[in-house]
Amino acid sequence: MDSLVTHLCDANNISREDLKVHVLWNSEINAFALPDGHLVIYTGLIHNAENQEELAGVIGHEMAHIELNHVMKKLGKEIGLSALIAMTTGNVGTEVIRETARTISSTAFDRSFEKEADIKAVDYLLKANIDPEPFGKFLHRLSDSESELSKYLTWISTHPESKERAKYVRKYRQGKGINFKSVLSAETWKAIKEGVGS
């Protein structure tokens, strides 16, 4: 994971030191951004990604939420300014922290934030020479309500209109022919998938 995240950061002039990546053992297909540059990735997402480009797209999307300050904007709207101020001053109880984490991981950003994060993720991928097409395919594939994975699709349920988003991700990528390359070797990707598959 560090190789993918570092590659995206380096290619896009994002401080890797300011981004704290957490991989959690959980079968849900999910990733989300938290305040102060925390990025949470569930092993279920890694296990169910068909390739590293799909995973890089989701990581880029969540990085975009952090870089575009969507996390704090959402918190201000969802939990209120007073709780936000209490969090920044350190004068906050565990219940507020618990509610904050629940809010961020289980509810969607505004549609405009989602589109902005999608487009920014595609830009991140292009600058890193990673093909964004699989990210669009990922959105389309996992948004299918008939999917046997649907009960695990937390990321999709908190990111609505995924098929529509897949279309504009693919459209935005068109005409941007770049010499795409893999960040991880095939052996490393296989080892990662096997490592989270149990």
Side-chain angles (χ1 to χ4, degrees):
M1 289 304 92
D2 186 61
S3 295
L4 274 177
V5 173
T6 299
H7 184 77
L8 284 168
C9 287
D10 289 349
N12 290 280
N13 297 315
I14 296 170
S15 171
R16 177 63 184 90
E17 292 178 2
D18 292 341
L19 197 62
K20 298 105 179 161
V21 179
H22 310 274
V23 178
L24 302 183
W25 287 98
N26 190 311
S27 61
E28 292 180 12
I29 301 172
N30 201 9
F32 51 92
L34 292 171
D36 197 29
H38 290 274
L39 172 59
V40 179
I41 303 166
Y42 285 176
T43 53
L45 172 64
I46 300 166
H47 177 66
N48 287 286
E50 289 187 351
N51 51 60
Q52 61 182 283
E53 290 80 11
E54 286 186 354
L55 181 59
V58 174
I59 290 171
H61 175 93
E62 297 303 332
M63 285 173 57
H65 280 314
I66 293 169
E67 290 297 305
L68 296 168
N69 205 29
H70 290 169
V71 178
M72 296 308 284
K73 290 175 184 175
K74 176 181 176 180
L75 283 176
K77 181 178 178 182
E78 296 287 331
I79 66 171
L81 185 58
S82 60
L84 209 51
I85 291 170
M87 288 176 64
T88 58
T89 61
N91 186 18
V92 63
T94 56
E95 187 56 38
V96 173
I97 293 171
R98 207 175 291 125
E99 179 64 17
T100 300
R102 185 203 63 76
T103 298
I104 292 176
S105 66
S106 64
T107 59
F109 284 99
D110 292 339
R111 185 182 298 187
S112 63
F113 283 178
E114 291 301 345
K115 184 168 186 176
E116 191 177 12
D118 285 338
I119 297 304
K120 181 62 85 173
V122 172
D123 285 336
Y124 288 163
L125 294 171
L126 290 170
K127 286 181 183 175
N129 293 329
I130 299 172
D131 188 358
E133 177 71 13
F135 176 49
K137 288 180 180 176
F138 174 84
L139 290 170
H140 192 270
R141 177 171 52 89
L142 294 186
S143 66
D144 184 357
S145 62
E146 299 301 311
S147 169
E148 61 187 54
L149 300 173
S150 61
K151 63 182 176 178
Y152 301 109
L153 300 183
T154 307
W155 196 79
I156 293 300
S157 69
T158 60
H159 294 69
E161 292 95 23
S162 293
K163 286 187 179 178
E164 176 188 327
R165 292 170 59 216
K167 287 179 187 174
Y168 64 68
V169 163
R170 288 172 159 173
K171 185 175 181 179
Y172 185 73
R173 179 246 187 255
Q174 285 178 348
K176 295 178 173 72
I178 292 175
N179 186 20
F180 299 120
K181 56 187 175 187
S182 297
V183 176
L184 307 174
S185 69
E187 295 79 18
T188 300
W189 176 245
K190 182 180 177 185
I192 291 170
K193 292 273 288 179
E194 289 174 353
V196 299
S198 57

